[in-house]
Amino acid sequence: GLSPDVLKAIKRKGFRLPTPIQRRSMPIILQGSDVIGMARTGSGKTAAFVIPMIEKCVPLPSPIKQAYDTLQH
């Protein structure tokens, strides 16, 4: 799945449900496999490709940062 930060950013932009091409392709892309898909213009193909790419770029919190954040709250 997607990280909470990426999900929050997607929801902030007003998106609620993935389109069929996103629903079918994103889990495969997130696993690191290649996908060839075909869908109509405006169906969300670009987001299906870019969202997993962004997910891979979001840094995972280090254990030290997680411990620090826990102590601050």
Side-chain angles (χ1 to χ4, degrees), residues 6-53:
V6 172
L7 282 173
K8 188 178 1 174
I10 291 168
K11 288 179 181 178
R12 205 174 324 137
K13 286 295 183 182
F15 297 101
R16 296 290 175 247
L17 296 172
T19 65
I21 188 74
Q22 294 164 349
R23 214 173 14 259
R24 294 183 70 194
S25 65
M26 286 176 53
I28 299 167
I29 296 168
L30 286 167
Q31 291 175 357
S33 296
D34 294 337
V35 171
I36 297 175
M38 184 170 53
R40 296 178 64 97
T41 299
S43 63
K45 293 182 300 294
T46 301
F49 167 73
V50 173
I51 291 171
M53 186 178 3

